[in-house]
Amino acid sequence: GAWDMIRAYRDMREANYIGADKYFHARGNYDAAQRGPGGAWAAKVLSDARERWQSDVSGRGAEDTRADQEANEWGRSGGDPNRYRPPGLPSKY
């Protein structure tokens, strides 16, 4: 599951696409959770740690953290990550 999260993060950085953040959050969590309970656990731990860091260090704010966590939970619960896919994001992602 951790590798799924890393792959989603790398893809997000590579795509560098405005508005795609939540899609990559949902996709990483979805892919990790598809591996079973261990993958879902890894996705939750990594997502929570990233959001704590983002909230504390980057100063992006509580609203952004809440929206990220919503996308994380959506993906982890088996929701289709494409719910958050922005128009025009290249199909390779």
Side-chain angles (χ1 to χ4, degrees):
W3 288 114
D4 296 305
M5 300 292 289
I6 292 167
R7 185 175 62 249
Y9 179 76
R10 285 182 182 162
D11 286 350
M12 180 177 70
R13 300 287 295 187
E14 178 185 301
N16 193 29
Y17 197 87
I18 294 173
D21 178 53
K22 307 304 179 257
Y23 165 74
F24 288 108
H25 279 268
R27 197 194 82 189
N29 277 269
Y30 176 86
D31 290 347
Q34 294 304 299
R35 297 186 182 278
W41 176 84
K44 179 162 179 40
V45 168
L46 291 171
S47 293
D48 289 350
R50 180 182 184 273
E51 293 309 319
R52 262 192 313 279
W53 176 85
Q54 180 176 299
S55 179
D56 295 344
V57 176
S58 76
R60 293 179 78 188
E63 181 59 26
D64 188 61
T65 296
R66 186 204 59 74
D68 285 350
Q69 287 289 47
E70 178 185 301
N72 293 337
E73 291 169 15
W74 174 261
R76 242 185 345 265
S77 70
D80 184 355
N82 288 311
R83 171 183 185 176
Y84 296 96
R85 185 182 190 85
L89 180 67
S91 62
K92 94 181 237 182
Y93 304 110

